[in-house]
Amino acid sequence: MRDRFLASDPGLLRLLSALSTVCAVLLTLGALAAVDASVPILVTGALTAMVSTVAVTERRPRDQALTLAAGVPVALVVVVVGSALTPYRVLADVVFVAVIFTALYIRRLGPRATTLGVFAFQLFFVTQFVGTRLAQLPHLVPAVLVAFTASALVRFALLRSPPERTLMRLHQAFRLRLALMLDALIEVVDGGPGTPRAERAADDLRRQAARLHAGALMIQSRLETGTPDRGVAATIQRRVAEAETAAERLAVLVLRLVWPAADIDTLTRHPTPVHRTGSRLDVRVAVWLPALASKLRALRAAVRPDPRRPGRTDSTESWADGAQARDRLLGHLDDEPLSDAPPAVQDALRSAGDFACALSDLRLAVDAQAPAPRETPEAARSAKGQGPQGSGPAEDVAPEREGRHVRPTTRTALQVATGSALAVVGGELLSPQRWYWAVFTCWVVFISTSSTGDVLVRGYRRLVGTVTGVVAGLALAALIGGHPWPAFALAVLSVFGMYYTATVSYTLMSFFVTTMIGMLYALLHALTPGVLVVRIEETALGIACGLAAALLVLPAPTRERTDRLLREVLERLRAVLARSLARLCGEPDGDLLGSARALDAALDGLRLAVQPLITPLSPLRSRRRTALAVLGLLETAALHTRSLAGTAELMPAGIRIGTEHCLVDMAVRIDRNLAALIGQTAGGDATPLERGPGTTARPALGEEGARAEDVRTTRRVLRHLERVDRSVQGLARTLGVRVRDDP
């Protein structure tokens, strides 16, 4: 359970964020209560502590300190202006809309400007929510200062988490996710084809692979701040990418081994069914399944020894066990021990050896305290494959493309300002005392959205969370009666839940927000069903106003954004393929794994952008099927492209794939097809794609002048290229692009 918890929250980032917020709020309330502050001052201080803790997003402690310091004068000015305008309702509303526009417009200036904009919006909202006056400034200013001080104390002293420690926790979670992925893979092999146990394990395997991918991206994002040495950071990035690619390839090969008729190309990260019925397991393969399961268990021990084994408490002994398992599996990189196994089993066992090699390199790169593994021929082979060191962790240097006429930050600022103005008017008409909930909802449904569909889905989730939170708030209020301490404890727990689930489920976060509000009203003895019903009405009004603004003010259709992101994915796919083939032919061409990570980032962006299309509630069923098919084909192409980049990155200096005519022809055809597909998605000429031969010719081991290592590498490259070729042609047909010689 501990391992699963650590794996579910890589780096303990969500836990630390929630704990930091709760501690900052409690410290602020304690300090203000010690001087008998009034309820409005307590609420102002608590909300300011929440904002000053969660809004700062920089990675380096120095940058966080500078942002907090810059936030203090901004917060004080906003509190003064808001308190002065509170008696003047119309003028306060106009200024509030101007603050909202400015806070979103300055996001283009970077993370610090974004945080200062959040401070300005939230503190102005607090003044209107609490109804502060200029006469209260002698108490409000110290409350704001206490809140910022409490936030800094928690961040830099009580719950301090240096970037280096965070990176180590992320690496630990990555290893745990590798272990959980292997556990699911072992369940697949033990269950066998056609059993419910194997089906459930295969679904779990796909979930674990998606989480492993997310963990790898998190490590990459933290390398610059967590590892001062750029050479070490580049090595860690490379080893993480190798381990992820090797694990995914091993899983695909094992699934294809167990379900040979399923034609499994990738571990999809979206809910598409894989039809495995009718698969019949070859008798020779069935004989080898127990041996494969044994090797996977040895690989599992190399990742992380099973805590259920008694007496395994010494880290040195555990490392020795892992090294032994790794060395045994590395032996399967050769052909001799596998001469009696079917080809599919040989591929799976060699892939297990590749995984063991990647795991060893990753551990050596990250865990400087681990004892060095003993020298063996297999370990020497692992070291032999290490490529040149890069200059540092690669970044996705290509900026997000902007719209044709207006920048995204300007569009969002205008949309939110318009929606907020509508929410102010509608909120005042609906409930002059609670109008601010509509404005706040309009603000939050636009955060981290980039299209009209995103706003719609986010608004729906917020409304569901609000309604369920109202029901829970009323039930808890009836349960605790009029006792203040249980209500206070539940409010604190709701704050914790709000920030612990913020990045996991927007619906859950909205649920905890509403539950917290219910407990606060219970503390104030003002909780009635009518108040919470108004909360639902104002939330629905804010969503409606936000959606109206998204549709009427410089609309950004979901189709337009997904098409642009699709082109970006295809362009990055083409670039990684070109660089990988250049490296394989002996021409160094940039940081391959960095380019592969940029492809991953672009694909993740597309996956998020199509969420409005693939949500189960979408009425556009044909577009949902098309979006899922496109994602599946891109996943397959990206997997084999990453594998190709990993092969090129690790290829020893003495190996060359040469100029195999089938490889060159396929590479040229894929490049032309990708160029044509990119042009047509951008509205270019309808150039048909070239159809491949279907079955790629394979070079023979015995051909004159060919070494076994060269031929084996060439075969692997051809397999990856063939899968990419099939995926690109399938993508063209799915998008309605003609493929030449199609029937």
Side-chain angles (χ1 to χ4, degrees):
M1 292 300 295
R2 175 180 176 273
D3 283 354
R4 287 186 174 272
F5 171 74
L6 294 176
S8 68
D9 184 13
L12 300 179
L13 298 178
R14 292 189 290 120
L15 178 64
L16 288 175
S17 174
L19 284 178
S20 297
T21 305
V22 170
C23 290
V25 170
L26 292 178
L27 284 177
T28 302
L29 290 176
L32 295 177
V35 295
D36 294 326
S38 61
V39 171
I41 304 302
L42 289 173
V43 173
T44 301
L47 294 178
T48 303
M50 290 172 57
V51 174
S52 60
T53 302
V54 301
V56 179
T57 58
E58 284 93 345
R59 303 282 167 75
R60 292 187 175 89
R62 178 177 178 274
D63 294 335
Q64 296 173 6
L66 290 175
T67 300
L68 274 177
V72 173
V74 171
L76 292 176
V77 169
V78 170
V79 167
V80 171
V81 173
S83 300
L85 295 177
T86 299
Y88 310 101
R89 183 73 272 134
V90 176
L91 183 58
D93 291 343
V94 172
V95 173
F96 196 12
V97 173
V99 169
I100 290 172
F101 175 84
T102 305
L104 289 168
Y105 186 81
I106 64 174
R107 290 193 304 169
R108 67 182 65 188
L109 302 179
R112 183 165 298 154
T114 300
T115 301
L116 296 179
V118 173
F119 285 163
F121 167 80
Q122 295 280 13
L123 269 297
F124 198 97
F125 171 81
V126 168
T127 60
Q128 305 308 298
F129 170 64
V130 177
T132 58
R133 297 291 192 271
L134 284 176
Q136 296 174 302
L137 284 181
H139 303 287
L140 286 173
V141 171
V144 171
L145 295 177
V146 166
F148 272 87
T149 302
S151 177
L153 182 63
V154 171
R155 182 184 298 272
F156 301 117
L158 297 181
L159 293 177
R160 180 174 177 268
S161 182
E164 298 83 0
R165 188 183 304 168
T166 300
L167 183 61
M168 291 304 296
R169 290 200 194 103
L170 286 173
H171 170 247
Q172 181 187 16
F174 183 79
R175 285 168 48 196
L176 290 171
R177 288 183 171 184
L178 282 174
L180 293 173
M181 189 172 172
L182 285 171
D183 286 338
L185 200 56
I186 293 169
E187 286 290 312
V188 170
V189 176
D190 286 342
T195 63
R197 174 186 176 187
E199 296 281 349
R200 290 192 299 269
D203 293 336
D204 185 41
L205 178 64
R206 286 172 167 80
R207 287 191 295 270
Q208 297 300 339
R211 293 169 182 171
L212 181 71
H213 178 69
L217 292 180
M218 292 177 72
I219 290 176
Q220 179 190 357
S221 67
R222 299 276 173 166
L223 279 173
E224 184 179 356
T225 56
T227 308
D229 190 324
R230 293 181 63 84
V232 173
T235 302
I236 294 175
Q237 178 188 352
R238 182 176 292 109
R239 300 315 177 204
V240 167
E242 292 164 8
E244 181 198 357
T245 302
E248 194 166 5
R249 182 171 181 269
L250 173 62
V252 169
L253 289 175
V254 171
L255 289 181
R256 288 159 67 180
L257 186 70
V258 176
W259 287 287
D263 193 25
I264 298 172
D265 286 334
T266 184
L267 297 176
T268 55
R269 301 185 184 99
H270 50 82
T272 55
V274 177
H275 301 289
R276 293 183 285 263
T277 58
S279 299
R280 296 186 60 184
L281 192 62
D282 186 85
V283 176
R284 294 180 61 208
V285 172
V287 171
W288 277 84
L289 280 184
L292 177 61
S294 175
K295 301 303 180 184
L296 290 175
R297 288 188 176 88
L299 189 56
R300 170 64 168 82
V303 175
R304 183 174 176 83
D306 194 334
R308 292 169 292 186
R309 291 179 59 191
R312 315 311 292 173
T313 56
D314 182 75
S315 59
T316 302
E317 191 175 8
S318 297
W319 165 258
D321 286 347
Q324 292 171 8
R326 181 210 63 200
D327 291 341
R328 289 195 302 271
L329 286 162
L330 282 176
H332 292 306
L333 291 174
D334 295 326
D335 286 334
E336 290 77 7
L338 304 175
S339 56
D340 296 333
V345 175
Q346 292 184 27
D347 286 343
L349 289 174
R350 285 196 199 96
S351 181
D354 291 338
F355 185 97
C357 177
L359 175 66
S360 174
D361 291 340
L362 173 62
R363 191 158 191 172
L364 289 173
V366 176
D367 192 359
Q369 304 300 320
R374 53 191 173 85
E375 291 296 329
T376 64
E378 292 80 5
R381 185 188 298 111
S382 172
K384 180 181 177 182
Q386 294 184 4
Q389 303 301 318
S391 59
E395 298 178 355
D396 189 2
V397 295
E400 181 180 354
R401 297 180 184 178
E402 300 167 357
R404 296 180 180 179
H405 305 293
V406 64
R407 300 180 68 169
T409 50
T410 304
R411 173 189 285 115
T412 303
L414 290 171
Q415 288 176 335
V416 180
T418 303
S420 298
L422 294 174
V424 167
V425 175
E428 290 278 7
L429 295 175
L430 185 63
S431 174
Q433 292 78 29
R434 316 290 180 198
W435 63 272
Y436 39 75
W437 292 129
V439 181
F440 189 80
T441 299
C442 184
W443 163 278
V444 296
V445 296
F446 268 98
I447 300 300
S448 301
T449 59
S450 53
S451 68
T452 305
D454 284 344
V455 175
L456 179 61
V457 172
R458 194 177 182 90
Y460 158 76
R461 291 172 177 170
R462 185 169 186 87
L463 185 59
V464 171
T466 300
V467 172
T468 54
V470 164
V471 174
L474 290 173
L476 290 173
L479 183 65
I480 63 177
H483 302 288
W485 285 111
F488 180 76
L490 288 173
V492 171
L493 288 176
S494 297
V495 172
F496 177 88
M498 177 174 30
Y499 291 106
Y500 188 74
T501 60
T503 59
V504 177
S505 170
Y506 189 70
T507 302
L508 278 177
M509 187 196 73
S510 302
F511 167 82
F512 284 115
V513 169
T514 306
T515 304
M516 178 196 69
I517 292 171
M519 293 302 98
L520 290 179
Y521 279 127
L523 285 170
L524 298 173
H525 304 289
L527 180 63
T528 63
V531 170
L532 294 182
V533 168
V534 170
R535 160 78 175 168
I536 295 176
E537 293 172 345
E538 293 282 355
T539 299
L541 175 64
I543 294 169
C545 293
L547 186 59
L551 289 170
L552 300 175
V553 180
L554 301 173
T558 303
R559 177 68 177 271
E560 177 182 315
R561 175 167 172 77
T562 54
D563 286 350
R564 177 171 58 81
L565 291 175
L566 175 60
R567 289 195 298 273
E568 183 178 351
V569 172
L570 293 175
E571 288 168 355
R572 294 195 182 281
L573 184 67
R574 186 185 181 196
V576 177
L577 284 171
R579 291 183 177 182
S580 300
L581 292 172
R583 177 72 63 86
L584 287 167
C585 293
E587 302 174 9
D589 190 10
D591 183 3
L592 285 180
L593 293 178
S595 299
R597 279 299 177 216
L599 170 62
D600 286 341
L603 189 54
D604 283 343
L606 177 63
R607 192 179 297 110
L608 291 174
V610 300
Q611 287 301 310
L613 300 178
I614 65 176
T615 178
L617 296 176
S618 174
L620 306 174
R621 312 309 293 179
S622 61
R623 291 186 67 184
R624 182 174 186 269
R625 288 192 296 270
T626 300
L628 289 173
V630 168
L631 282 179
L633 291 165
L634 288 175
E635 290 280 1
T636 301
L639 167 65
H640 291 283
T641 301
R642 285 198 307 269
S643 299
L644 189 64
T647 300
E649 189 81 11
L650 288 175
M651 187 178 66
I655 291 184
R656 291 288 182 271
I657 64 172
T659 55
E660 285 286 341
H661 66 89
C662 54
L663 186 150
V664 174
D665 292 344
M666 188 182 299
V668 171
R669 183 177 63 255
I670 292 173
D671 186 76
R672 284 201 297 261
N673 285 345
L674 283 172
L677 197 55
I678 292 169
Q680 294 195 46
T681 56
D685 296 334
T687 305
L689 273 65
E690 298 180 31
R691 185 180 179 186
T695 302
T696 305
R698 306 296 187 194
L701 268 172
E703 62 185 344
E704 184 178 356
R707 297 184 306 167
E709 303 93 63
D710 295 339
V711 174
R712 189 158 52 239
T713 303
T714 303
R715 285 177 173 173
R716 175 178 292 185
V717 171
L718 284 170
R719 282 197 301 268
H720 292 315
L721 284 177
E722 185 178 7
R723 292 290 182 176
V724 174
D725 190 22
R726 288 171 51 186
S727 299
V728 171
Q729 294 181 44
L731 182 64
R733 295 185 181 99
T734 302
L735 296 175
V737 178
R738 190 166 68 89
V739 178
R740 191 174 300 157
D741 297 331
D742 265 357

